[in-house]
Amino acid sequence: MTFLDRQLGRFTMYRLVTVVLLALAAVAVVQAALGVLDTTIFSVGAMLLTLAVMVASSVVANIVFGRSVGAHPHLESSVVTALILWFLFLPATDGEQLGWLALVAALAQASKYAFAWRGRHVVNPAAAGVVLTLALGWATGWPVPFTGWWVGSESLFWFVLVGAVVVLYRTRRLALGAIFTVIAAAISIWWQLGIGTDLGDAVRFTAYSTPIVFFAGFMLSEPLTLPPRQRQQWSVAALAAVLFTWPLLTSRLFGEPWTVEPFGSTYELTLVVTGLVALALRQGSRSLVLRERRPLSGDVVEYVFDADRPLQFAPGQYVEVDVPHRADTRGRRRMFSVMSAPGPEVVLSTRHPEPGSSYKRALAALEPGDSVRVTSVHGDFVWPDSGPVLLVGAGIGVTPFLSQLAAHPDRDVVVVLGERDDQPYVAELEATGARVVRLPVDRVDGPTIAEHVPDLADRTAFVSGRPDFVDAVARQLRGRAKQVRRDAFLGY
């Protein structure tokens, strides 16, 4: 698993999703060429033409709409949206149909700017594009294309399953995907049993003829339209499963399906509803004005900001910070653990390796008085209400501990510090009154920690640092500590 984490960690989330979707698209095109897919519908030429039209429309629309509102468009996200939409609509060669598909992609990008709240889009763009197009066709009477969700097919199932698991694993959303998949599949199977289908055929139909797995892996899991806390996300996954299968559920309960005109299914509407629920649960964005920049040991730099309104968060959570600049492929947002207590002062810290990304260069170029924006608060790296705690960190990963220790000065805490070269915040950790065990980072492992912390079995352990460090230490602490929690960023 450490090897897998290391390999996946080389990709940003947008890049990983793009690569996985492109791989699935290649599989679909090859299947069409071999006649596995119905060649009367899925010709290679039509599939590639449709893909080119939707990607081009999505990218151009993102540039146009983004610049019209003074934003710097993230082009890779528009490619991801186009690829998702491509799997929902049947391929076309007719000019009018291609025009509609281009409009779907364009409206998907427009939704990111039209339906946004304080710097964050509210609804999954692909779902918004479909809903807006179908609503337009219904209002005008124009013959718009309906979604076929052809990605839910037997020949693609295992490829989609592998891709979805990779994405969910990378985003630490496997539980969310499992909750949605189990509930949605159970309702689908239950409905089919009610119409006389035997259990085996009901299971096969649900796996091979519905887009449940694709929906869970590539649409519901989008972190930007999910609530900030894990249990909230699990509740949203359960709600999404019910809404996703709503016509089947109501058909079994009441004898006829309850549908919403003009939509043939509730798949896209599900993401509209869950996006609104997530919006209600998220804290609004905050504008931060740089007060001071403090160079520390090595390449570590600390940034002190003043928020326009007090930033509320649970110590240990992290924030997404948007720095306006012309971004590279990694985008203009990054995640940071907050070192300060909740309130108007926000202290963040990061390394500035050379060569840095466009984001790190823009951050380093900020002058006092310049503004950035916190667009969201995330994470469950939060202490329990009571009980002794173990903190294990290395390098810049110790930053969330400072906020937690300041908020809980009287707790029984042991800090195991894996020291790297130019380790920051050693003195600050020792000044909190917690017992600090300092070890070379390569000696931080389960047996060594157990040797220095005799009551390890009574403590909730929190592990923070580089992904390889976190994965290795967390694995070795399982079964030794009372509970183990890992600090994991989304990677977008």
Side-chain angles (χ1 to χ4, degrees), residues 29-317:
V29 171
V30 169
Q31 289 186 351
L34 297 176
V36 177
L37 295 176
D38 186 348
T39 54
T40 62
I41 300 174
F42 296 96
S43 70
V44 172
M47 294 174 75
L48 294 178
L49 177 61
T50 302
L51 179 60
V53 167
M54 298 190 85
V55 169
S57 176
S58 185
V59 170
V60 171
N62 195 23
I63 293 173
V64 171
F65 291 124
R67 290 182 176 175
S68 69
V69 298
H72 295 280
H74 188 202
L75 298 185
E76 199 160 7
S77 68
S78 57
V79 174
V80 169
T81 300
L83 285 166
I84 290 174
L85 288 170
W86 183 70
F87 283 108
L88 309 189
F89 289 91
L90 296 178
T93 55
D94 175 77
E96 181 179 350
Q97 290 294 299
L98 289 172
W100 276 111
L101 296 179
L103 179 63
V104 174
L107 289 176
Q109 297 307 315
S111 73
K112 296 197 301 185
Y113 305 99
F115 306 121
W117 179 253
R118 292 177 174 170
R120 168 66 61 237
H121 61 264
V122 175
V123 178
N124 179 287
V130 174
V131 169
L132 290 172
T133 303
L134 295 179
L136 177 64
W138 178 67
T140 60
W142 295 335
V144 303
F146 282 87
T147 51
W149 288 80
W150 60 271
V151 69
S153 61
E154 181 175 359
S155 64
L156 289 174
F157 173 77
W158 293 106
F159 299 99
V160 172
L161 178 62
V162 171
V165 169
V166 167
V167 171
L168 291 169
Y169 177 82
R170 174 66 173 82
T171 55
R172 303 294 189 257
R173 298 285 183 268
L174 281 172
L176 175 138
I179 290 170
F180 171 82
T181 300
V182 168
I183 296 175
I187 294 174
S188 175
I189 293 169
W190 177 61
W191 173 75
Q192 290 172 79
L193 293 176
I195 61 173
T197 307
D198 67 67
L199 180 59
D201 287 340
V203 171
R204 283 188 289 272
F205 176 85
T206 299
Y208 297 149
S209 301
T210 69
I212 290 175
V213 173
F214 183 85
F215 188 93
F218 298 97
M219 301 184 75
L220 179 64
S221 63
E222 186 200 16
L224 304 184
T225 53
L226 283 173
R229 301 298 298 271
Q230 188 177 70
R231 291 184 179 179
Q232 295 170 343
Q233 294 168 8
W234 293 351
S235 298
V236 163
L239 172 64
V242 172
L243 296 176
F244 184 89
T245 56
W246 187 251
L248 304 182
L249 185 64
T250 54
S251 175
R252 182 69 191 273
L253 291 174
F254 305 108
E256 62 180 35
W258 294 2
T259 58
V260 181
E261 290 293 339
F263 306 100
S265 72
T266 53
Y267 299 164
E268 302 86 5
L269 292 176
T270 294
L271 292 174
V272 174
V273 174
T274 57
L276 294 174
V277 171
L279 174 65
L281 295 172
R282 287 200 305 266
Q283 181 181 178
S285 66
R286 299 289 187 270
S287 177
L288 306 182
V289 177
L290 181 65
R291 184 203 310 165
E292 183 182 2
R293 180 172 54 241
R294 302 169 181 162
L296 303 179
S297 57
D299 58 0
V300 178
V301 179
E302 185 176 284
Y303 294 87
V304 182
F305 296 93
D306 294 310
D308 59 344
R309 291 171 294 155
L311 181 66
Q312 301 301 322
F313 63 96
Q317 287 191 298

Side-chain angles (χ1 to χ4, degrees), residues 385-448:
D385 294 333
S386 61
V389 171
L390 168 68
L391 306 178
V392 184
I396 201 70
V398 302
T399 51
F401 300 160
L402 296 172
S403 175
Q404 292 171 324
L405 289 165
H408 305 281
D410 300 324
R411 289 288 283 276
D412 178 359
V413 182
V414 176
V415 180
V416 174
L417 178 60
E419 293 190 81
R420 300 188 185 277
D421 294 338
D422 299 317
Q423 175 65 46
Y425 300 114
V426 177
E428 288 83 352
L429 287 170
E430 292 180 332
T432 63
R435 182 163 76 89
V436 179
V437 179
R438 297 170 62 178
L439 298 169
V441 67
D442 58 358
R443 288 194 55 209
V444 179
D445 54 34
T448 304

